[in-house]
Amino acid sequence: MNSVGMGQRPQNRRQQVVKFLWVGIWLAYLSAPVRDLLHGGHSDGVVVLGWIGLAAFVFWYFTLVVRAGRGERNGVVLGSVAVLAAQSTVLSLTLGREWLVLYVYVAIASGAALPFRLARWMIPAVSALLTGAALLVPGGTAFLTGLLFPALLGGFSMTGVRELIRTTTELREARATVARLAANEERLRLARDLHDLLGHSLSLITLKSELAGRMLPGHPENAAQQVADIEQVSRQALVDVRAAVAGYRKPRLLEELAGARVALTAAGITAELPAEPDLDGVPEDSETALAWALREAVTNVVRHSGARRCTVELLRRRTLDGLLLELAVEDDGSGGPRGGPGGGPGNGLTGLTERLTQAGGTLEAGRARNGFLLIARAPVAAVPADVGSGA
């Protein structure tokens, strides 16, 4: 994506061009001064000076608006706005009423580049300056009504845009901070869990190793008993660590649904996924088994199916065996069977079958009318009051 996001600075040349064009499109309203220079009957010298003055105004305006929000001091911005206002006054008083439109740009630049506490005074001041210039320029009052309202509206509208950009930028920074804090908290939690799991075991292993070393010369049978204890403690510590790591690796359906949408979209496959599912009463083992099934199914769709569309459904169904949560993943691909050599089930489907069996569920997978269909079912422990019988 090469578009310039709200609150983000251009990151490459194309984004800079996009922002330049977005700002530059509003320069179309300078057609009145341009027509005046071309057809206003001014002398050649005045026309040359007019073009120079207009070019200087446009350059200063672009410099101020494009760099708005980059941390310049308010004094520098106020000085730049004052330069624009002075250019507008000189050009309007010397070249005529067509040049009064420059004040509108000064008001917009004030709203875009100044914080609201300063812009709320600067915009009316520029409007007042526009009114004074219109009263001094011959025929300027005829243009006053058509320019005063755009100056006020455009200026204060830009203050809103500036605040929106600032808020969006702060939101992005806050999200990044929250993500970093969450990652740090997760690392701390893992460190605490591992310390709780291994601290006592490693201390006991160290103590028994020292005892075995002291007993070995004179009491080898006691040393052997200490070594046997060390082995038992080590094995239990290994079991505890594996259980803890397995807990960290357990997928969740909500996370897998979000990941499935990203993966399918990145592969150019139209994804039809359910909204946030109701997981009340779903045991952790059932949710984990279905999450693994969704991950495996989507991976197969992306890698092997050649599909253009993938549909995921998650429904509760009442059966003779009780209430089940059913996950169905269907694609319209023309790829071959998602199995191993010879058309048998592959390692992925075999592993899913084992996971679902351990959770008390079942797995069905095979060719469907329009592609490939995988259906995984896992038991639900409790029945919500609003759940009716399914198909």
Side-chain angles (χ1 to χ4, degrees), residues 32-62:
V34 171
R35 285 197 306 269
D36 181 64
L37 289 175
L38 295 176
H39 310 293
H42 301 293
S43 64
D44 293 341
V46 172
V47 170
V48 171
L49 292 176
W51 281 113
I52 294 175
L54 183 61
F57 179 89
V58 171
F59 172 78
W60 205 259
Y61 172 78
F62 262 103

Side-chain angles (χ1 to χ4, degrees), residues 85-317:
Q87 290 177 326
S88 303
T89 302
V90 171
L91 292 171
S92 299
L93 295 179
T94 56
L95 294 176
R97 62 182 185 176
E98 288 80 3
W99 294 78
L100 292 172
V101 71
L102 298 183
Y103 287 104
V104 177
Y105 289 91
V106 180
I108 291 175
S110 300
L114 288 172
F116 181 73
R117 60 185 178 83
L118 296 177
R120 64 180 178 176
W121 300 110
M122 181 60 67
I123 294 171
V126 173
S127 301
L129 189 60
L130 166 61
T131 303
L135 294 175
L136 294 176
V137 174
T141 54
F143 283 22
L144 182 59
T145 304
L147 294 177
L148 189 58
F149 181 73
L152 289 170
L153 179 62
F156 282 109
S157 296
M158 288 306 299
T159 62
V161 173
R162 176 185 170 88
E163 288 301 308
L164 178 60
I165 292 175
R166 183 184 62 81
T167 303
T168 304
T169 302
E170 291 177 354
L171 179 60
R172 284 197 174 95
E173 294 173 351
R175 285 178 175 174
T177 301
V178 169
R180 289 195 298 271
L181 292 176
N184 290 336
E185 180 62 25
E186 187 67 14
R187 284 194 289 268
L188 289 175
R189 187 166 73 93
L190 176 60
R192 288 194 299 267
D193 290 351
L194 289 178
H195 177 271
D196 294 341
L197 287 171
L198 296 179
H200 174 73
S201 299
L202 293 178
S203 298
L204 187 59
I205 290 172
T206 301
L207 177 61
K208 286 186 172 292
S209 298
E210 293 175 353
L211 288 174
R214 290 197 297 266
M215 294 177 177
L216 190 58
H219 303 281
E221 65 282 355
N222 293 335
Q225 180 60 45
Q226 297 297 329
V227 172
D229 292 342
I230 291 173
E231 180 183 3
Q232 182 180 358
V233 172
S234 301
R235 291 184 182 277
Q236 184 59 45
L238 182 59
V239 170
D240 293 340
V241 170
R242 285 175 175 172
V245 173
Y248 280 101
R249 290 178 178 173
K250 287 183 178 178
R252 293 292 181 262
L253 268 175
L254 287 176
E255 299 171 358
E256 292 303 321
L257 284 170
R261 185 179 301 277
V262 173
L264 292 170
T265 302
I269 300 172
T270 301
E272 296 180 2
L273 285 84
E276 183 172 337
D278 177 17
L279 299 178
D280 292 340
V282 178
E284 182 178 350
D285 290 343
S286 295
E287 181 186 353
T288 300
L290 291 177
W292 281 114
L294 177 59
R295 180 185 297 185
E296 178 68 20
V298 170
T299 300
N300 285 336
V301 171
V302 171
R303 291 183 177 178
H304 310 301
S305 70
R308 296 188 301 272
R309 181 179 299 275
C310 179
T311 302
V312 177
E313 294 182 342
L314 196 61
L315 304 172
R316 291 175 184 257
R317 298 194 182 278

